[in-house]
Amino acid sequence: MTMLTYTLLTDPAPLEASAAGRPPSTGTVYLLVTNTGQQAAFWSTITVQVPVGNGAGDLTSDFTTIKPKGEYGTWSGTRSSVSLQPGPQGSNAFQVTAPGGRASFAPGDHMVLTLEEVTVAPAAGLAVLKVAENTGRTRTGRLSSSVAAVSLVKTAAKEIPPPCDFRPDKVMLDDTDTLTLSWEGSDDFSYEILFPGGRRSIASNTRSWSPAAADAPKRATTYILVATSRSTPQRKHYLTTTVQVRNPVLEILTATTGIDTPWVQGTTDATKGRVTFTGTGVEISNNSGGQSTLTADKANLTGVNTEWVQGRSTDDGWISFPKEGVNVRRGSGHDWGSVFADKADLNGVNTGWVQGRSTDDGWISFPKDGLNVYRDGSRSWGNVAAEKADLNGVSTKWVQGKDDRDGWIDFSYYGVNVFRHDEGTKRWGVIGVNRIDHH
């Protein structure tokens, strides 16, 4: 029976056995030595033998990783360090020696022998440490050797808790925002993030990731965190999170019911024309916000309200629409233009003059007094040719037959003169009648 009392404590309590494929389980073992007797005990050495191996009764598979230290405390509260040293090679033991070769261990005093950084053996079970003491009842008397067995529990390795709380720092991203994804998880997993078009492995001991500019989300994007255990067999866990983009970039959009939006705009500065939906219809704006152009192959409309219409080129003719009707202009200025048509069916025509298609054709002007007929595009009098004329009256200086050699009639102040054609002379002509009936 030992004079001193031995108690084992561990941190963590209990110790967890190491598992294959995972970082080794480590812990600290405390051996508390006390004197619970009524009188002092004198001690010389205390030796602690550690069971080494991979079995259920072994504490560790690697004795060399253990870091020992010791401390002595009196009932009055004073403390001092003691030297806990490895025993002979191959003994798998630690030994502490009393100062001066022998020291008093008073009732109520205690000593703590600490074994740090113990790599716990892989098999669960009860590990027994053997303690041997050299003690006696007097300072100079004979010492005796006694042994004690102290035990501790090693539990089976617990299942690694899966990663959790995979989250973005922002759920709605603006164009200039940088996305950061974070999560909680064990170092016993390796991590990888999957996203549309790519995958990225995460460095060890890292629990956050930000996509590079080339991988930044352009639209609503779902990220998948894949956690793979380092144990055998491997276990995988999948976590997802989704971020939204305030101004998404879409390759194609199909809406089966409709799209509700105040406006639609191009994606680049060069194409940032905008279509705005107002209460009365649609407005087309250019990339500076001013009114712009609508280009189409064909327009099928019920009506068009516009100030003017022009050809495709800036020097084409154009039509404006004043209150009085229609103005036809030519070029880009305000000079009058021409209307070309195969036929015109009109209720009336108000015009200064009318001419044939060529500039040397005859033309008609409309003075206040009536009608002027000119020839050759000049102001020389022209001829009116007709099969029949039904008139209320004719005011003229002379009348002649259709041929230049025909006779002609002159209307003088005194009456009527009848001439015959004779080389332009005024020789009297002949009046031929069938009958004269007069009163």
Side-chain angles (χ1 to χ4, degrees):
M1 181 177 179
T2 59
M3 292 185 184
L4 302 175
T5 302
Y6 300 91
T7 305
L8 271 181
L9 302 170
T10 63
D11 179 23
L15 294 178
E16 184 176 298
S18 296
R22 291 165 53 178
S25 174
T26 60
T28 302
V29 176
Y30 301 96
L31 178 62
L32 176 63
V33 184
T34 58
N35 183 359
T36 60
Q38 299 296 317
Q39 58 183 344
F42 291 89
W43 67 284
S44 175
T45 60
I46 297 174
T47 303
V48 181
Q49 188 176 26
V50 177
V52 177
N54 295 318
D58 297 317
L59 173 62
T60 182
S61 58
D62 190 354
F63 180 82
T64 62
T65 65
I66 300 175
K67 295 183 178 179
K69 67 178 181 179
E71 184 182 64
Y72 190 91
T74 65
W75 180 258
S76 63
T78 60
R79 295 182 180 181
S80 59
S81 62
V82 294
S83 178
L84 181 62
Q85 296 294 327
Q89 186 174 2
S91 65
N92 295 331
F94 296 98
Q95 182 174 286
V96 60
T97 302
R102 186 180 296 194
S104 173
F105 208 121
D109 288 357
H110 68 276
M111 182 165 51
V112 179
L113 304 180
T114 303
L115 307 180
E116 295 180 331
E117 300 185 19
V118 176
T119 300
V120 184
L126 187 69
V128 179
L129 281 67
K130 298 176 181 178
V131 181
E133 65 175 30
N134 283 325
T135 57
R137 288 299 179 187
T138 64
R139 183 177 297 276
T140 58
R142 180 174 171 274
L143 298 174
S144 61
S145 296
S146 301
V147 294
V150 289
S151 61
L152 56 85
V153 175
K154 299 176 297 169
T155 61
K158 296 182 179 65
E159 183 177 350
I160 307 170
C164 61
D165 198 18
F166 185 42
R167 64 199 183 276
D169 60 337
K170 302 180 185 71
V171 295
M172 179 65 74
L173 299 175
D174 289 317
D175 294 340
T176 58
D177 287 341
T178 299
L179 172 64
T180 299
L181 302 174
S182 304
W183 63 95
E184 305 297 331
S186 169
D187 287 338
D188 293 323
F189 290 99
S190 60
Y191 296 98
E192 186 179 39
I193 290 182
L194 311 182
F195 54 91
R199 59 198 309 150
R200 296 292 181 270
S201 297
I202 308 303
S204 301
N205 302 320
T206 299
R207 299 295 179 270
S208 64
W209 175 79
S210 294
D215 297 329
K218 304 292 190 300
R219 61 190 69 87
T221 301
T222 296
Y223 293 90
I224 303 174
L225 175 69
V226 182
T228 304
S229 68
R230 304 180 192 276
S231 59
T232 303
Q234 286 186 339
R235 292 179 295 115
K236 288 182 179 288
H237 298 275
Y238 299 86
L239 287 81
T240 63
T241 190
T242 301
V243 297
Q244 303 291 330
V245 177
R246 195 178 305 279
N247 296 311
V249 177
L250 304 175
E251 295 177 3
I252 188 171
L253 174 64
T254 301
T256 58
T257 303
I259 297 175
D260 291 335
T261 180
W263 52 267
V264 177
Q265 181 173 284
T267 57
T268 64
D269 289 340
T271 61
K272 273 193 176 175
R274 176 178 291 194
V275 179
T276 303
F277 301 91
T278 67
T280 57
V282 175
E283 291 181 356
I284 308 295
S285 305
N286 58 26
N287 57 4
S288 300
Q291 288 187 339
S292 187
T293 302
L294 174 64
T295 303
D297 181 50
K298 182 179 180 181
N300 188 351
L301 308 171
T302 302
V304 177
N305 289 343
T306 182
E307 293 182 5
W308 52 270
V309 177
Q310 187 178 22
R312 291 182 180 273
S313 301
T314 56
D315 58 351
D316 285 348
W318 57 284
I319 303 171
S320 64
F321 302 90
K323 291 181 179 180
E324 296 78 17
V326 176
N327 291 332
V328 178
R329 311 285 185 180
R330 65 181 181 183
S332 59
H334 283 74
D335 294 335
W336 293 112
S338 300
V339 176
F340 298 91
D342 182 60
K343 182 179 179 181
D345 187 352
L346 309 171
N347 291 329
V349 177
N350 290 340
T351 180
W353 52 270
V354 177
Q355 187 179 20
R357 292 182 180 273
S358 301
T359 56
D360 58 353
D361 285 348
W363 58 286
I364 303 170
S365 66
F366 302 91
K368 291 182 179 181
D369 308 319
L371 183 70
N372 291 333
V373 178
Y374 299 104
R375 66 180 181 185
D376 301 331
S378 66
R379 288 192 173 269
S380 299
W381 293 112
N383 297 322
V384 176
E387 181 179 353
K388 182 179 179 181
D390 186 356
L391 308 171
N392 291 329
V394 177
S395 294
T396 182
K397 291 182 178 180
W398 54 268
V399 176
Q400 186 178 16
K402 290 188 176 184
D403 195 285
D404 288 343
R405 294 173 296 176
D406 290 345
W408 55 288
I409 300 171
D410 177 271
F411 299 91
S412 67
Y413 173 78
Y414 302 101
V416 176
N417 298 320
V418 177
F419 298 103
R420 67 179 183 179
H421 182 270
D422 191 6
E423 301 298 330
T425 63
K426 289 186 176 183
R427 297 180 65 185
W428 297 111
V430 178
I431 296 176
V433 297
N434 183 42
R435 177 181 177 183
I436 298 176
D437 187 4
H438 60 86
H439 298 283

